[in-house]
Short mmCIF file of all heavy atoms in Angstrom, two decimals:
data_model
loop_
_atom_site.label_atom_id
_atom_site.label_comp_id
_atom_site.label_asym_id
_atom_site.label_seq_id
_atom_site.Cartn_x
_atom_site.Cartn_y
_atom_site.Cartn_z
N PRO L 1 -14.50 11.23 -0.64
CA PRO L 1 -15.82 10.65 -0.40
C PRO L 1 -15.93 10.14 1.03
O PRO L 1 -14.93 9.82 1.66
CB PRO L 1 -15.88 9.51 -1.43
CG PRO L 1 -14.90 9.90 -2.50
CD PRO L 1 -13.79 10.60 -1.77
N SER L 2 -17.14 10.06 1.54
CA SER L 2 -17.35 9.62 2.92
C SER L 2 -16.96 8.15 3.09
O SER L 2 -16.94 7.38 2.12
CB SER L 2 -18.81 9.83 3.32
OG SER L 2 -19.67 9.03 2.51
N GLY L 3 -16.67 7.79 4.32
CA GLY L 3 -16.36 6.39 4.62
C GLY L 3 -14.93 5.99 4.31
O GLY L 3 -14.62 4.79 4.29
N MET L 4 -14.06 6.97 4.08
CA MET L 4 -12.67 6.66 3.74
C MET L 4 -11.75 7.11 4.88
O MET L 4 -12.07 8.02 5.64
CB MET L 4 -12.26 7.33 2.43
CG MET L 4 -13.14 7.01 1.25
SD MET L 4 -12.43 7.52 -0.34
CE MET L 4 -11.34 6.13 -0.68
N ILE L 5 -10.61 6.44 5.00
CA ILE L 5 -9.61 6.76 6.00
C ILE L 5 -8.42 7.41 5.32
O ILE L 5 -7.92 6.91 4.31
CB ILE L 5 -9.17 5.49 6.75
CG1 ILE L 5 -10.34 4.97 7.62
CG2 ILE L 5 -7.94 5.75 7.61
CD1 ILE L 5 -10.04 3.68 8.34
N GLU L 6 -7.96 8.52 5.88
CA GLU L 6 -6.80 9.20 5.31
C GLU L 6 -5.52 8.53 5.77
O GLU L 6 -5.31 8.31 6.96
CB GLU L 6 -6.78 10.67 5.70
CG GLU L 6 -5.62 11.44 5.05
CD GLU L 6 -5.66 12.92 5.31
OE1 GLU L 6 -6.46 13.37 6.16
OE2 GLU L 6 -4.90 13.65 4.63
N ILE L 7 -4.68 8.19 4.81
CA ILE L 7 -3.36 7.64 5.10
C ILE L 7 -2.36 8.76 4.84
O ILE L 7 -2.23 9.23 3.70
CB ILE L 7 -3.04 6.42 4.21
CG1 ILE L 7 -4.17 5.38 4.26
CG2 ILE L 7 -1.72 5.80 4.63
CD1 ILE L 7 -4.43 4.80 5.63
N PRO L 8 -1.63 9.20 5.86
CA PRO L 8 -0.73 10.34 5.67
C PRO L 8 0.45 9.99 4.78
O PRO L 8 0.83 8.80 4.64
CB PRO L 8 -0.28 10.67 7.09
CG PRO L 8 -0.40 9.37 7.83
CD PRO L 8 -1.60 8.69 7.24
N SER L 9 1.04 11.00 4.17
CA SER L 9 2.25 10.75 3.38
C SER L 9 3.34 10.20 4.29
O SER L 9 3.39 10.50 5.49
CB SER L 9 2.73 12.05 2.73
OG SER L 9 3.03 13.02 3.72
N GLY L 10 4.19 9.37 3.74
CA GLY L 10 5.24 8.76 4.55
C GLY L 10 5.98 7.69 3.80
O GLY L 10 5.75 7.47 2.60
N ILE L 11 6.85 7.02 4.49
CA ILE L 11 7.69 5.98 3.90
C ILE L 11 7.06 4.61 4.14
O ILE L 11 6.76 4.24 5.27
CB ILE L 11 9.11 6.00 4.49
CG1 ILE L 11 9.79 7.35 4.20
CG2 ILE L 11 9.95 4.86 3.91
CD1 ILE L 11 10.01 7.64 2.73
N LEU L 12 6.85 3.87 3.06
CA LEU L 12 6.46 2.47 3.15
C LEU L 12 7.71 1.62 3.10
O LEU L 12 8.54 1.77 2.20
CB LEU L 12 5.53 2.09 1.98
CG LEU L 12 5.35 0.59 1.76
CD1 LEU L 12 4.61 -0.06 2.93
CD2 LEU L 12 4.62 0.33 0.44
N VAL L 13 7.86 0.72 4.06
CA VAL L 13 8.92 -0.28 4.00
C VAL L 13 8.33 -1.48 3.28
O VAL L 13 7.67 -2.34 3.87
CB VAL L 13 9.42 -0.67 5.40
CG1 VAL L 13 10.58 -1.66 5.30
CG2 VAL L 13 9.87 0.58 6.17
N GLN L 14 8.52 -1.50 1.97
CA GLN L 14 7.83 -2.46 1.10
C GLN L 14 8.51 -3.82 1.09
O GLN L 14 9.74 -3.93 1.19
CB GLN L 14 7.76 -1.91 -0.33
CG GLN L 14 6.93 -2.77 -1.28
CD GLN L 14 6.95 -2.23 -2.70
OE1 GLN L 14 7.81 -1.42 -3.05
NE2 GLN L 14 6.00 -2.65 -3.51
N GLY L 15 7.70 -4.86 0.97
CA GLY L 15 8.24 -6.20 0.81
C GLY L 15 8.48 -6.91 2.13
O GLY L 15 7.99 -6.52 3.18
N ARG L 16 9.29 -7.98 2.05
CA ARG L 16 9.57 -8.77 3.25
C ARG L 16 10.44 -7.99 4.21
O ARG L 16 11.26 -7.16 3.82
CB ARG L 16 10.25 -10.10 2.87
CG ARG L 16 11.52 -9.97 2.06
CD ARG L 16 11.94 -11.33 1.52
NE ARG L 16 13.04 -11.20 0.57
CZ ARG L 16 14.31 -11.31 0.89
NH1 ARG L 16 14.66 -11.60 2.14
NH2 ARG L 16 15.25 -11.18 -0.02
N LEU L 17 10.21 -8.24 5.48
CA LEU L 17 10.94 -7.57 6.53
C LEU L 17 12.02 -8.49 7.08
O LEU L 17 11.88 -9.72 7.09
CB LEU L 17 9.98 -7.16 7.65
CG LEU L 17 8.79 -6.29 7.23
CD1 LEU L 17 7.89 -6.00 8.42
CD2 LEU L 17 9.27 -4.99 6.59
N ARG L 18 13.09 -7.91 7.52
CA ARG L 18 14.19 -8.71 8.08
C ARG L 18 13.67 -9.52 9.27
O ARG L 18 12.95 -9.02 10.12
CB ARG L 18 15.33 -7.79 8.53
CG ARG L 18 15.96 -7.02 7.39
CD ARG L 18 17.14 -6.16 7.85
NE ARG L 18 17.52 -5.21 6.82
CZ ARG L 18 18.29 -5.52 5.78
NH1 ARG L 18 18.76 -6.76 5.65
NH2 ARG L 18 18.59 -4.61 4.87
N GLY L 19 14.04 -10.78 9.30
CA GLY L 19 13.61 -11.65 10.38
C GLY L 19 12.39 -12.48 10.06
O GLY L 19 12.07 -13.42 10.79
N GLU L 20 11.71 -12.17 8.94
CA GLU L 20 10.57 -13.00 8.57
C GLU L 20 11.06 -14.38 8.09
O GLU L 20 12.05 -14.47 7.35
CB GLU L 20 9.77 -12.35 7.43
CG GLU L 20 8.89 -11.21 7.86
CD GLU L 20 7.89 -10.85 6.78
OE1 GLU L 20 6.89 -11.57 6.64
OE2 GLU L 20 8.12 -9.86 6.06
N PRO L 21 10.39 -15.46 8.47
CA PRO L 21 10.77 -16.80 8.00
C PRO L 21 10.71 -16.86 6.48
O PRO L 21 9.75 -16.40 5.87
CB PRO L 21 9.71 -17.71 8.64
CG PRO L 21 9.19 -16.94 9.80
CD PRO L 21 9.23 -15.50 9.39
N MET L 22 11.72 -17.43 5.86
CA MET L 22 11.79 -17.45 4.41
C MET L 22 10.74 -18.35 3.76
O MET L 22 10.43 -18.22 2.58
CB MET L 22 13.19 -17.87 3.95
CG MET L 22 14.27 -16.86 4.31
SD MET L 22 13.84 -15.14 3.85
CE MET L 22 13.60 -15.31 2.10
N ASP L 23 10.15 -19.27 4.54
CA ASP L 23 9.08 -20.08 3.97
C ASP L 23 7.78 -19.29 3.88
O ASP L 23 6.81 -19.75 3.27
CB ASP L 23 8.87 -21.35 4.78
CG ASP L 23 8.46 -21.07 6.23
OD1 ASP L 23 8.74 -19.95 6.71
OD2 ASP L 23 7.90 -21.97 6.87
N GLN L 24 7.76 -18.10 4.48
CA GLN L 24 6.58 -17.24 4.40
C GLN L 24 6.84 -15.98 3.59
O GLN L 24 5.90 -15.38 3.09
CB GLN L 24 6.13 -16.85 5.81
CG GLN L 24 5.68 -18.02 6.66
CD GLN L 24 5.23 -17.60 8.04
OE1 GLN L 24 4.95 -16.44 8.28
NE2 GLN L 24 5.16 -18.55 8.96
N ALA L 25 8.09 -15.56 3.49
CA ALA L 25 8.43 -14.33 2.77
C ALA L 25 9.34 -14.69 1.60
O ALA L 25 10.55 -14.86 1.77
CB ALA L 25 9.12 -13.35 3.70
N PRO L 26 8.83 -14.85 0.39
CA PRO L 26 9.62 -15.31 -0.74
C PRO L 26 10.69 -14.31 -1.17
O PRO L 26 10.56 -13.10 -0.99
CB PRO L 26 8.58 -15.50 -1.85
CG PRO L 26 7.46 -14.59 -1.47
CD PRO L 26 7.42 -14.60 0.03
N TYR L 27 11.76 -14.84 -1.75
CA TYR L 27 12.86 -14.00 -2.24
C TYR L 27 12.42 -13.07 -3.36
O TYR L 27 13.09 -12.08 -3.64
CB TYR L 27 14.01 -14.88 -2.74
CG TYR L 27 14.86 -15.45 -1.64
CD1 TYR L 27 14.77 -16.79 -1.29
CD2 TYR L 27 15.78 -14.65 -0.95
CE1 TYR L 27 15.56 -17.32 -0.28
CE2 TYR L 27 16.57 -15.17 0.06
CZ TYR L 27 16.46 -16.51 0.39
OH TYR L 27 17.23 -17.02 1.39
N SER L 28 11.32 -13.39 -4.02
CA SER L 28 10.85 -12.54 -5.12
C SER L 28 10.38 -11.18 -4.62
O SER L 28 10.28 -10.23 -5.40
CB SER L 28 9.70 -13.23 -5.87
OG SER L 28 8.61 -13.50 -5.00
N GLU L 29 10.09 -11.06 -3.33
CA GLU L 29 9.69 -9.78 -2.77
C GLU L 29 10.92 -8.94 -2.47
O GLU L 29 11.95 -9.46 -2.06
CB GLU L 29 8.90 -9.98 -1.47
CG GLU L 29 7.54 -10.59 -1.65
CD GLU L 29 6.84 -10.78 -0.31
OE1 GLU L 29 7.37 -10.31 0.72
OE2 GLU L 29 5.77 -11.40 -0.29
N PRO L 30 10.84 -7.62 -2.66
CA PRO L 30 11.96 -6.77 -2.26
C PRO L 30 12.18 -6.85 -0.76
O PRO L 30 11.24 -7.09 0.01
CB PRO L 30 11.51 -5.37 -2.70
CG PRO L 30 10.01 -5.45 -2.71
CD PRO L 30 9.69 -6.85 -3.15
N LEU L 31 13.41 -6.66 -0.33
CA LEU L 31 13.74 -6.69 1.10
C LEU L 31 13.76 -5.26 1.63
O LEU L 31 14.66 -4.47 1.31
CB LEU L 31 15.09 -7.36 1.34
CG LEU L 31 15.60 -7.33 2.79
CD1 LEU L 31 14.63 -8.08 3.71
CD2 LEU L 31 17.00 -7.94 2.88
N GLU L 32 12.73 -4.91 2.39
CA GLU L 32 12.65 -3.61 3.05
C GLU L 32 12.99 -2.45 2.11
O GLU L 32 13.80 -1.59 2.41
CB GLU L 32 13.54 -3.58 4.29
CG GLU L 32 13.09 -4.57 5.36
CD GLU L 32 13.79 -4.36 6.69
OE1 GLU L 32 14.76 -3.58 6.77
OE2 GLU L 32 13.35 -4.99 7.68
N LEU L 33 12.34 -2.45 0.95
CA LEU L 33 12.49 -1.36 -0.01
C LEU L 33 11.73 -0.14 0.51
O LEU L 33 10.53 -0.22 0.80
CB LEU L 33 11.94 -1.78 -1.37
CG LEU L 33 11.99 -0.73 -2.48
CD1 LEU L 33 13.44 -0.39 -2.83
CD2 LEU L 33 11.25 -1.24 -3.71
#
C-alpha cells in the first residue's frame, strides 16, 4: 500500500546493546540477540 517504507531483509540486533547504562537497559531484555 502507498505511504509505506520498505525495510530490507537483514539482521536485527535485538534488545539492549553492549555499553548501554543498566539503569536504562533492563536485564530482562536480551543482550544483542
Side-chain angles (χ1 to χ4, degrees):
S2 63
M4 305 192 83
I5 291 177
E6 183 174 11
I7 309 298
S9 60
I11 299 296
L12 165 66
V13 183
Q14 186 183 18
R16 56 191 171 94
L17 304 178
R18 297 182 193 279
E20 284 194 78
M22 294 311 301
D23 61 338
Q24 296 181 17
Y27 282 106
S28 60
E29 291 179 7
L31 175 62
E32 296 192 350
L33 178 65

